[in-house]
Each structure stands twice: as C-alpha cells, then as structure tokens.
C-alpha cells in the first residue's frame, strides 16, 4: 500500500470518528498526477465556496477589460443580503470598490459583497468561466442571495438567524434545497482543486489569492497547519449540516498544495468544534504525503 492510498484510509477513519460524510481531494498545483482522493467525484452543494468561483470569474473579466476593479458599488441597506459578517451585518449605506467587495467576500465570507459582484457579472458568466477552466461537473445555479431566500422560505424562519436555528434543531429533522446538489450550486472535491490550481497559476487571479490568504477563519483547515511560516489561503462554506473548506497550503520552499474537504454532518447542530478540528486533521493527513520541494 503506497502513502497516498494509506492517507485515504486514514481520512476515512477520521471522518467516521467525527460523524461526517466527507469528500476530499488534494493535489499539488504543478502537473504531477499524484493525488489523495476520497469520494472525490460526488456532486456536493457548495454553500459559500461559490464565492470563490464568482471572484475567479470577476478577475478574468477584469483582465479582459470588462470589469473595472476601482468602480464603485453602492450597497443599500434596503436590499441587503442577510448574513452574519461584513457588510451583511451592517445597518447603513456602504460604498466600496469592486475589488474591495471581492476581498470581503473571500476574507469574511461577506454575503452582501458576494451578491453584489454576482449581480454585476451574472451566473451565466460564472458557469462559462467554470467550464473554460475545466470544472465540468460544477453547476452555478444560484448565488448567496437566492440561497438565503430559499432557506428562509423552506424553514419558515422570520429572519436568517431563526431559519438557521430551525435547521440546527436536533428535535426536528428539517431540510432545505441547499442540501440537494441537483437544486443548488454544486461541485465536486476534484473540480474545486482544479479551480484552485487555475487560480494559483493565472496572474490575473492575484486579487483572489490575496483575499483567500486573508481569510479570518482558522478553525478548519488552518488548524492542521499551526505554523507561522505556513500560509493557508482558504475559503469556508457553511450552512446547516454542511461544513466545507477549500484551500491552498503554501509551505516555504515547497510546491503549493490545493485541497478540498467537503463534509455533511450526521447531526444538525450549529456548533460542532469536533468536526471543524477533524477537517484540519483530514487536511493535514491529505497534504503530508504530497509535499515536494519547489527546487528546479
């Protein structure tokens, strides 16, 4: 049994112990075919991972002159997309540039900023970009604003906070179309590392890389790499039972490694730190056998 196969078996045990279904893919961003894979081609709802696709498409449109990164975006409170962080959590009118909207969408998972950029470029352009970069099984069906509206309607919550609390209630088995990859935006663990590899190779995607390197959350993949000199450029995706993260692990002197860890919890509660820690352990297990010097 080689080290890559052994890593897959260890990941399966970690997932079983944490009470999650998991889909994992890890690869270096060079052309080496080595990979660590577990249920890697299973369609899975993206949740907020969709924001990386929106940002990647936007960066391509900037490079082609179709978007102006310094153009102002006016975010009015009357039409604000619900969410717990960033502009979504504010009460007053805000004006940002497009590039700052992208940065907040990635660094803070800001729903309002992501929705504003998606409104500028449209989901059809996001889908076209995904197909062009080789993400053939990824479907950009709806963005954050539409996803939040669906959750509110399907749970009967009066606001997003109550809707998420209803999804998390262990006494009731509530569900949402956001759990169904055939109804919402979905991808696979393999497609998501394909997207990351593209974003790390293209010069125009520098704003996406920078935003992901600034991600505020360190409780999932980054918890597996607690070292000051290791950069974890990540993006979480969280909704109800779904806890995801994709990231590129940048270790000094080594080829960066792209990884996606997509999970669905067997229990509905919102706060499950054991699962977040397991995602870090899974990432560490997947990345370790792929490490390679970047020396020519």
């Amino acid at each position: 049994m080689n080290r890559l196969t052994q890593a897959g078996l260890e990941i399966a045990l970690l997932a079983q112990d944490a009470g999650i279904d998991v889909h994992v893919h890890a690869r270096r961003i060079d052309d080496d075919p080595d990979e660590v894979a577990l249920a890697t081609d299973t369609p899975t709802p993206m949740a907020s991972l969709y924001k990386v696709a929106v940002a990647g498409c936007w960066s391509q449109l900037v490079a082609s002159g179709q978007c102006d990164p310094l153009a102002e975006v006016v975010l009015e409170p009357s039409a604000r997309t619900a969410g717990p962080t960033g502009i979504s959590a504010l009460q007053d009118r805000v004006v940002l540039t497009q590039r700052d909207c992208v940065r907040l969408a990635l660094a803070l998972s800001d729903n309002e900023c992501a929705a504003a950029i998606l409104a500028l470029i449209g989901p059809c352009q996001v889908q076209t970009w995904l197909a062009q970069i080789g993400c053939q099984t990824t479907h950009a069906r709806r963005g954050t604003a539409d996803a939040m509206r669906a959750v509110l309607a399907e749970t009967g919550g009066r606001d997003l906070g109550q809707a998420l609390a209803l999804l998390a209630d262990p006494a009731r088995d509530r569900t949402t179309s956001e759990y169904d990859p055939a109804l919402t935006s979905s991808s696979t663990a393999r497609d998501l590392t394909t997207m990351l590899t593209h974003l790390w190779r293209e010069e125009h995607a520098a704003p996406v890389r920078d935003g992901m390197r600034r991600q505020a959350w360190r409780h999932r993949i980054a918890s597996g790499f607690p070292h000051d000199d290791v950069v974890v450029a990540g993006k979480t995706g969280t909704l109800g039972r779904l806890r995801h993260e994709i990231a590129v692990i940048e270790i000094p002197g080594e080829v960066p490694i792209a990884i996606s860890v997509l999970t669905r919890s067997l229990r509905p509660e919102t706060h499950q730190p054991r699962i977040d820690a397991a995602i870090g352990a899974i990432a560490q297990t997947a990345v370790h056998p792929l490490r390679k010097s970047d020396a020519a």
Side-chain angles (χ1 to χ4, degrees):
M1 182 184 301
N2 67 32
R3 69 192 191 286
L4 303 178
T5 303
Q6 180 63 37
L9 293 175
E10 292 175 9
I11 288 168
L13 291 174
L14 288 166
Q16 182 179 27
D17 185 61
I20 52 176
D21 294 325
V22 69
H23 312 284
V24 178
H25 190 253
R27 54 161 293 181
R28 291 183 290 270
I29 66 165
D30 59 15
D31 293 320
D32 195 303
D34 283 354
E35 64 178 9
V36 172
L38 180 66
T40 194
D41 297 312
T42 303
T44 305
M46 280 200 282
S48 283
L49 301 183
Y50 183 89
K51 295 167 185 170
V52 180
V54 172
C57 178
W58 170 85
S59 72
Q60 177 64 64
L61 294 172
V62 170
S64 64
Q66 297 178 68
C67 282
D68 178 1
L70 299 182
E72 290 187 345
V73 180
V74 179
L75 305 172
E76 298 286 358
S78 59
R80 189 147 295 164
T81 302
T85 61
I87 306 304
S88 288
L90 302 184
Q91 296 177 287
D92 299 320
R93 185 175 188 264
V94 176
V95 180
L96 296 173
T97 61
Q98 290 183 19
R99 69 180 181 182
D100 277 348
C101 281
V102 167
R103 178 171 289 192
L104 287 177
L106 297 172
L108 293 180
S109 201
D110 190 315
N111 288 348
E112 171 71 355
C113 286
I117 296 300
L118 181 60
L120 287 171
I121 65 178
C124 290
Q125 291 211 82
V126 177
Q127 186 66 56
T128 298
W129 177 79
L130 286 164
Q132 289 173 345
I133 67 171
C135 296
Q136 301 298 329
T137 57
T138 301
H139 300 283
R141 293 189 175 93
R142 62 190 181 198
T144 305
D146 286 339
M148 295 302 97
R149 281 191 284 269
V151 171
L152 282 166
E154 291 159 357
T155 61
R158 64 176 177 272
D159 54 33
L160 183 60
Q162 187 187 54
L164 295 178
L166 290 169
L167 275 181
D169 186 352
R172 300 179 183 179
D173 188 19
R174 281 191 170 87
T175 190
T176 169
S177 58
E178 283 299 296
Y179 292 162
D180 189 339
L183 298 177
T184 190
S185 294
S186 64
S187 188
T188 64
R190 187 186 303 276
D191 262 14
L192 289 166
T193 61
T194 296
M195 179 173 66
L196 290 175
T197 299
H198 174 83
L199 292 171
W200 253 252
R201 290 179 174 182
E202 295 295 325
E203 182 178 355
H204 70 75
V208 182
R209 297 191 294 272
D210 184 63
M212 292 179 67
R213 287 174 182 139
R214 294 171 182 270
Q215 181 180 226
W217 324 125
R218 306 285 298 176
H219 59 309
R220 290 185 185 161
I221 288 179
S223 69
F225 303 90
H227 313 287
D228 289 347
D229 62 344
V230 176
V231 175
V232 177
K235 178 70 193 75
T236 56
T238 309
L239 180 65
R241 295 175 185 264
L242 306 177
R243 288 169 180 78
H244 307 328
E245 188 164 9
I246 61 175
V248 173
I249 312 302
E250 299 175 323
I251 300 173
E254 299 185 12
V255 179
I257 296 170
I259 181 166
S260 54
V261 182
L262 314 178
T263 79
R264 180 165 176 160
S265 171
L266 301 181
R267 294 187 59 82
E269 290 92 340
T270 299
H271 301 293
Q272 298 197 55
R274 185 178 179 185
I275 295 176
D276 294 325
I279 291 172
I282 287 168
Q284 183 185 60
T285 301
V287 165
H288 182 72
L290 291 169
R291 293 178 62 180
K292 183 178 78 171
S293 170
D294 65 1

